[in-house]
């Protein structure tokens, strides 16, 4: 069979890296709207260049005439593909070719499964998201989650170095999400959060440390909850220069406040500004995939961390498509159309990184919830329901009914008012959300719309629970099969 690989967007940042990786072993066709750029790259790697416009009326016929074995769409942004988003994939199937794309858009990647029947009928493979996410992140999660019976958290973060080249399409994709609502999978349900919110500092290595990150959309958020039966799924990204990251966070505020629909019209001026700032920062970036859950030896957090130096960070998005294009040519991937969640092996991806300044590392860290730390040897003796209730490795949510009684004394009424306790009721709905923060927990209780929170931590000899300005020490203990909370200090 032919080994001709057609790369649409082949002269772009990620497409060019894919073309270079495959040029020595396949007949690479560098395709794009700008023939001059495609010819420059093709001449440097011994490939062929063609002008190909996916929006042209004769696109499908032009693609078929090139007779590719594999079609790779590395152009994007995939969220902007309009009313017929899968026209490239359908044209590839019609031309008798397999198809991959580097989509990082959740809706596009998940929706590729609509072509499954057609792909199987024609005996072809159609994979979406063959890039850093979800292909590489899913490969890492599969590796990290082996032996875990209950996955509480999957969190991925990508922190590129500032000197990494960034195309206009990447800028547009980021700006399209800034301030717009996205769904974070939290405690078993979708929770809306604004894109580029949730500022947090993250360190991956001595070369990638203390960098800002924010919540942003990715296929992982849509696909991982069901695929891995995870209670919580988050995805973060960050820009190395604080002025760029915090500037984008600030520019997203009008969108969050409903004063603007989007900031994508700023793509070109921001791309110009980003290019002016390229000399600053470093050429070191990284990626981390974290899985927390219950393993054979108890709760554990497992991290897979990748750090790229010497400007090799932009190689990462092309690694999965490089590996799987080779597999498609070899005919080793099952037919059908699907998001790329199970087709890439982490070991194969790491082997493909060997020529570059890229290192990977795995760390497993035991986790101990607050109640398990305090109760120590008594914790295993708790009834199963209580043990599960207090197994807080990230976010937990419980719902039920409650009877509320209130004290009648002036002091108890004052305390209830200060802590915003709900009024007395014989039967009211209750929801409790528990969130882990390193060695502490935050509990938010909602009794029929009356919400209040407390912060739990270890204290000398027991548990300390703080409600705003009020704090109580509790001699937490197990008596029989019941858990008792006697207050020893307030």
């Amino acid at each position: 069979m032919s080994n001709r690989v057609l790369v649409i967007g082949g002269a772009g940042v990620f497409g060019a890296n894919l073309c270079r990786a495959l040029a020595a072993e396949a007949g690479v066709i560098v395709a794009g709207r700008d023939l001059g750029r495609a010819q420059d790259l093709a001449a440097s790697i011994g490939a062929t260049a063609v002008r190909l416009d996916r929006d042209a009326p004769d696109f499908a016929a032009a693609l078929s005439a090139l007779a590719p074995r594999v079609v790779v769409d590395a152009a994007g942004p995939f969220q902007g593909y309009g009313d017929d988003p899968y026209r490239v994939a359908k044209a590839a199937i019609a031309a008798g070719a397999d198809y991959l794309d580097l989509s990082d858009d959740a809706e596009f990647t998940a929706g590729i499964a609509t072509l499954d029947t057609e792909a199987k009928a024609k005996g072809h493979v159609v994979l979406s998201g063959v890039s850093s996410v979800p292909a590489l992140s899913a490969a890492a999660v599969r590796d990290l989650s082996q032996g875990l019976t209950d996955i509480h958290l999957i969190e991925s973060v990508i922190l590129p170095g500032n000197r990494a080249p960034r195309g206009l399409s990447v800028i547009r994709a980021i700006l399209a999400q800034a301030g717009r609502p996205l769904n974070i999978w939290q405690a078993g349900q979708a929770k809306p959060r604004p894109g580029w919110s949730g500022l947090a500092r993250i360190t991956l290595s001595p070369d990638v440390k203390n960098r800002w990150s924010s919540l942003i959309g990715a296929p992982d958020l849509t696909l991982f909850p069901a695929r891995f039966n995870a209670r919580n799924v988050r995805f973060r990204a960050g820009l190395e220069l604080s002025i760029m990251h915090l500037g984008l966070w600030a520019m997203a505020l009008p969108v969050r406040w409903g004063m603007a629909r989007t900031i994508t019209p700023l793509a070109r001026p921001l791309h110009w500004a980003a290019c002016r700032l390229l000399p600053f920062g470093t050429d070191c970036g990284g990626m981390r995939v974290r899985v927390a859950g219950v393993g054979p030896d108890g709760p554990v957090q497992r991290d897979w961390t990748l750090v790229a130096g010497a400007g090799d960070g932009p190689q990462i998005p092309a690694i999965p498509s490089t590996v799987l294009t080779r597999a498609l040519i070899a005919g080793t991937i099952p037919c059908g159309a699907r998001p790329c969640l199970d087709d890439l092996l982490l070991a194969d991806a790491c082997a493909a990184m060997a020529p570059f300044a890229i290192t990977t590392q795995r760390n497993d860290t035991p986790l101990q919830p607050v109640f398990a730390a305090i109760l120590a040897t008594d914790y295993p003796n708790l009834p199963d329901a209580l043990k599960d209730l207090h197994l807080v490795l990230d976010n937990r949510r419980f719902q039920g009914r409650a009877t509320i009684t209130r004290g009648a004394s002036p002091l108890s009424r004052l305390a209830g008012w200060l802590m915003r306790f709900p009024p007395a009721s014989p039967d009211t709905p209750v929801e409790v959300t528990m969130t882990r923060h390193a060695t502490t927990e935050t509990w938010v209780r909602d009794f029929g719309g009356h919400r209040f929170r407390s912060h739990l931590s270890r204290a000398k000899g027991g548990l300390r629970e703080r409600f705003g300005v009020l704090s109580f020490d509790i001699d937490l203990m197990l008596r029989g099969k019941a858990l008792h909370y006697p207050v020893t200090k307030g």
Side-chain angles (χ1 to χ4, degrees):
M1 297 181 69
S2 165
N3 70 344
R4 289 163 64 87
V5 179
L6 172 67
V7 183
I8 300 173
V13 175
F14 304 138
N17 287 334
L18 173 63
C19 291
R20 294 187 186 99
L22 296 174
E25 56 198 272
V28 173
I29 305 172
V30 184
R33 291 188 176 96
D34 188 334
L35 181 59
R37 289 180 61 197
Q39 289 174 329
D40 289 344
L41 175 64
S44 68
I45 61 175
T48 302
V50 298
R51 185 183 186 281
L52 195 62
D53 184 352
R54 65 168 183 259
D55 295 322
D58 64 344
F59 167 74
L63 186 150
S64 182
L66 294 168
R69 171 69 179 83
V70 180
V71 174
V72 181
D73 189 352
F78 294 88
Q79 55 267 52
Y81 272 24
D83 296 333
D84 188 14
Y86 303 114
R87 58 184 172 276
V88 177
K90 289 187 285 189
I93 295 173
D98 293 329
Y99 165 90
L100 305 177
D101 66 52
L102 277 67
S103 168
D104 60 358
D105 179 68
E107 184 177 359
F108 183 97
T109 302
I112 200 75
T114 59
L115 301 180
D116 187 55
T117 299
E118 183 180 357
K120 287 179 176 176
K122 297 289 184 66
H124 290 300
V125 180
V126 175
L127 297 178
S128 184
V130 190
S131 189
S132 304
V133 295
L136 183 57
S137 55
V141 172
R142 294 202 317 274
D143 193 77
L144 295 171
S145 62
Q146 290 183 20
L148 299 185
T149 57
D150 185 4
I151 296 177
H152 284 237
L153 171 67
I154 299 174
E155 181 183 68
S156 301
V157 58
I158 294 180
L159 303 173
N162 184 63
R163 295 180 189 173
R166 51 185 75 87
L168 184 59
S169 63
V170 173
I171 299 291
R172 285 199 179 106
I174 294 173
L175 296 184
Q177 295 192 40
R180 301 283 296 171
L182 59 91
N183 283 326
I184 302 296
W185 192 251
Q186 181 174 309
Q189 64 179 352
K191 286 282 190 179
R193 295 286 298 275
W196 215 253
S197 65
L199 288 172
R201 294 273 199 177
I202 291 181
T203 293
L204 301 183
S205 74
D207 294 322
V208 184
K209 62 182 179 180
N210 204 29
R211 294 190 185 178
W212 286 111
S213 72
S214 291
L215 298 171
I216 194 168
D220 306 35
L221 300 176
T222 300
L223 300 169
F224 284 8
R227 169 60 184 84
F228 298 105
N229 194 27
R231 298 178 184 270
N232 300 276
V233 179
R234 292 192 295 272
F235 188 85
R236 291 182 166 274
L239 303 176
E240 181 181 5
L241 298 184
S242 293
I243 189 173
M244 292 178 64
H245 190 101
L246 298 178
L248 182 54
W249 174 85
M251 284 188 288
L253 291 177
V255 180
R256 294 171 60 176
W257 296 337
M259 299 168 60
R261 190 179 65 85
T262 179
I263 57 173
T264 51
L266 299 176
R268 287 192 179 276
L270 289 179
H271 181 251
W272 178 90
C275 291
R276 305 287 82 74
L277 292 172
L278 274 177
F280 301 94
T282 71
D283 59 3
C284 292
M287 173 180 182
R288 184 186 70 199
V289 178
R290 170 170 292 172
V291 177
V294 181
D297 299 320
V300 63
Q301 174 181 290
R302 298 171 176 173
D303 290 348
W304 179 78
T305 304
L306 175 156
V307 175
D312 281 341
Q315 299 289 343
I316 304 302
I319 292 293
S321 52
T322 299
V323 172
L324 292 184
T325 297
R326 291 167 176 159
L328 287 176
I329 293 173
T332 59
I333 299 181
C335 296
R338 55 192 177 270
C340 189
L341 297 177
D342 295 286
D343 296 280
L344 178 70
L345 297 178
L346 186 61
D348 290 344
C350 291
M353 299 174 196
F356 307 108
I358 300 172
T359 60
T360 62
Q361 180 175 328
R362 171 170 165 166
N363 291 301
D364 292 14
T365 306
L367 296 178
Q368 192 173 44
V370 171
F371 278 68
I374 295 170
L375 291 169
T377 57
D378 281 339
Y379 183 77
N381 299 322
L382 286 175
D384 289 342
L386 277 179
K387 278 192 292 187
D388 179 62
L389 176 72
H390 295 295
L391 184 63
V392 183
L393 305 184
D394 189 67
N395 279 280
R396 300 292 305 272
R397 180 175 63 95
F398 295 91
Q399 294 176 302
R401 312 291 301 184
T403 298
I404 303 170
T405 58
R406 294 283 297 268
S409 71
L411 183 59
S412 67
R413 290 180 180 179
L414 176 61
W417 177 79
L418 287 173
M419 291 185 284
R420 302 179 64 187
F421 285 168
S425 172
D427 181 42
T428 189
V430 59
E431 178 178 284
V432 181
T433 302
M434 309 167 179
T435 303
R436 177 186 175 92
H437 308 283
T439 59
T440 67
E441 294 175 12
T442 298
W443 289 25
V444 178
R445 302 164 176 88
D446 187 330
F447 290 87
H450 294 268
R451 299 176 78 251
F452 63 95
R453 70 178 60 225
S454 66
H455 302 276
L456 289 75
S457 59
R458 294 182 65 181
K460 185 176 181 180
L463 173 72
R464 176 167 295 154
E465 186 164 16
R466 179 171 56 83
F467 298 84
V469 298
L470 302 179
S471 181
F472 302 89
D473 286 358
I474 300 169
D475 187 13
L476 193 65
M477 64 180 67
L478 177 65
R479 291 179 181 171
K481 294 295 182 180
L483 196 56
H484 290 255
Y485 293 74
V487 175
T488 59
K489 182 181 177 182

